[in-house]
């Protein structure tokens, strides 16, 4: 199911003078529909080491979905630029000279390069792992709540379609016996007309038997009682799975395919416009269910 969650907190300061104070640690989680769990991480440079811990956390909480996790550290309004210590700058100059002695074409360090390198060497590396995992847990709680709300809406929609399908099946039930009786009477009328035209030349018993045989074959050809029985069984099973909850998306997807098969067969056996309309309405609702049922976990 789809969902979005984000969280931020103040990044812990590092170093004796509180280097890094005023920075914010942020995390976003986006989830879209997928049959399997597919995780993508977009982490800033200083957070890349936390990917295994984040992956373990998400796989323990999520089962399906294409999930993108974005984590970053950015400066806040109180962030300040720390001036590198003179000994550190001198050391960078020595290293630059040594490199250029071996590689004359090497580019000199820029101010930005010096600030970046001195920031990394002038203070111990911040351990952002605990803070990032704390953010991820909070964001996962928010994401789970959003997915549950969407799931409740999907289940309500599916239950509504199930009720409509059951009503259509109820309407289709009496149509076939009535149609069979109408067709039997029509065959008998044709037989009587044939007898009158033949003026006794044909054997009445043989003609009547042929008419009844054709009526029986027609009744068998258009009988959809078996399809309606299976359709009702599938509707009951889908209702049971929705009541049960949990990871039922794949089973629901299979049952939707079976519903579609029965609706197609019912439509192909249709011998009246009313039954054809019922079959078309069924397929429309089943298709609406099919588009959403894979989202249900």
């Amino acid at each position: 199911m789809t969902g979005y969650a984000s969280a931020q907190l103040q990044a812990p300061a590092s170093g004796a003078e509180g280097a890094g104070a005023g920075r914010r640690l942020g995390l976003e989680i986006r989830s879209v529909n997928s049959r399997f769990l597919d995780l993508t991480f977009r982490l800033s440079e200083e957070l890349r080491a936390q990917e295994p811990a984040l992956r373990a956390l998400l796989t323990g909480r999520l089962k399906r979905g294409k999930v993108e996790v974005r984590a970053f550290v950015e400066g806040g309004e109180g962030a300040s630029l720390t001036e590198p210590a003179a000994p550190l700058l001198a050391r960078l100059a020595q290293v630059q000279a040594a490199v250029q002695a071996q590689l004359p074409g090497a580019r000199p360090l820029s101010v930005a390069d010096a600030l970046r390198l001195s920031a990394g060497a002038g203070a111990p590396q911040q351990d952002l792992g605990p803070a990032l995992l704390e953010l991820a847990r909070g964001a996962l709680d928010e994401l789970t709540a959003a997915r549950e709300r969407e799931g409740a809406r999907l289940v309500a929609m599916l239950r509504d379609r199930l009720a409509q399908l059951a009503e259509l099946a109820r309407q289709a039930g009496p149509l076939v016996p009535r149609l069979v009786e109408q067709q039997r009477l029509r065959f008998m009328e044709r037989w009587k007309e044939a007898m009158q035209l033949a003026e006794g030349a044909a054997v009445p018993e043989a003609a009547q038997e042929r008419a009844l045989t054709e009526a029986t074959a027609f009744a068998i050809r258009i009988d959809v009682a078996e399809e309606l029985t299976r359709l009702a069984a599938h509707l009951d099973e889908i209702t049971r799975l929705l009541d049960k909850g949990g990871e039922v998306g794949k089973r629901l997807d299979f049952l939707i395919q079976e519903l579609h098969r029965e609706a197609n067969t019912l439509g192909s056996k249709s011998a009246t416009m009313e039954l054809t309309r019922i079959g078309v309405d069924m397929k429309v609702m089943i298709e609406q269910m099919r588009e959403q049922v894979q989202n249900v976990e």
Side-chain angles (χ1 to χ4, degrees):
M1 289 180 289
T2 59
Y4 172 81
S6 65
Q8 290 189 359
L9 57 76
Q10 203 72 14
S14 64
E17 298 181 359
R23 297 197 303 168
R24 291 192 304 273
L25 177 62
L27 182 138
E28 296 178 350
I29 304 179
R30 303 174 187 269
S31 171
V32 296
N33 303 320
S34 177
R35 296 180 62 187
F36 308 99
L37 182 60
D38 181 11
L39 300 178
T40 302
F41 294 89
R42 301 184 184 279
L43 309 178
S44 60
E45 184 66 31
E46 52 196 313
L47 298 176
R48 288 182 182 176
Q50 309 304 324
E51 180 177 332
L54 286 174
R55 185 178 295 274
L57 178 64
L58 267 66
T59 53
R61 295 279 299 273
L62 304 176
K63 301 302 180 183
R64 294 174 58 191
K66 184 176 179 61
V67 181
E68 178 181 320
V69 180
R70 178 174 174 264
F72 53 90
V73 180
E74 61 182 14
E77 294 180 357
S80 60
L81 185 63
T82 303
E83 182 179 352
L88 186 57
L89 291 176
R91 176 60 181 160
L92 287 175
Q94 293 175 0
V95 172
Q96 176 179 254
V99 170
Q100 289 180 329
Q102 297 295 324
L103 302 172
R107 177 179 61 84
L109 291 174
S110 65
V111 174
D113 293 335
L115 288 174
R116 178 174 53 81
L117 293 172
S118 61
Q125 187 70 28
Q126 291 177 261
D127 183 9
L128 297 175
L132 186 61
L133 289 179
E134 177 187 347
L135 269 187
R137 293 188 187 96
L140 271 175
D141 290 340
E142 182 182 341
L143 180 71
T144 301
R147 286 158 66 103
E148 287 177 352
R149 290 192 295 270
E150 182 190 4
R153 291 191 294 269
L154 291 177
V155 169
M157 183 277 289
L158 292 175
R159 291 187 187 278
D160 176 70
R161 300 300 187 274
L162 289 174
Q164 294 184 51
L165 285 171
E167 174 60 21
L168 288 173
R170 186 193 65 79
Q171 296 174 14
L175 293 179
V176 174
R178 188 162 64 240
L179 181 61
V180 170
E181 179 61 19
Q182 292 173 357
Q183 190 66 18
R184 187 186 70 82
L185 295 175
R186 188 177 299 117
F187 274 124
M188 294 306 298
E189 290 173 359
R190 289 172 56 189
W191 171 74
K192 291 178 181 179
E193 292 174 359
M195 291 302 96
Q196 293 174 357
L197 293 174
E199 297 181 350
V203 180
E205 292 78 6
Q208 184 178 15
E209 182 179 348
R210 180 181 180 87
L212 291 175
T213 300
E214 291 183 8
T216 302
F218 176 79
I220 295 174
R221 188 168 64 251
I222 68 170
D223 184 20
V224 293
E226 185 177 351
E227 285 75 14
L228 292 177
T229 299
R230 286 198 296 265
L231 190 144
H234 296 329
L235 294 179
D236 290 342
E237 180 64 12
I238 292 174
T239 301
R240 188 189 70 82
L241 290 176
L242 293 178
D243 292 338
K244 175 185 176 183
E247 300 174 33
V248 296
K250 293 182 180 179
R251 297 189 64 182
L252 289 175
D253 186 38
F254 170 76
L255 288 169
I256 293 298
Q257 294 179 28
E258 294 302 304
L259 282 179
H260 200 275
R261 188 196 312 276
E262 304 304 336
N264 273 335
T265 305
L266 187 146
S268 66
K269 289 186 174 183
S270 173
T272 65
M273 288 300 298
E274 189 174 359
L275 197 57
T276 299
R277 177 192 62 79
I278 289 176
V280 171
D281 290 345
M282 280 186 172
K283 287 194 282 188
V284 169
M285 279 182 284
I286 292 170
E287 182 63 22
Q288 291 173 353
M289 295 173 67
R290 187 193 65 79
E291 292 175 354
Q292 299 295 338
V293 74
Q294 293 184 357
N295 304 336
V296 179
E297 293 187 4

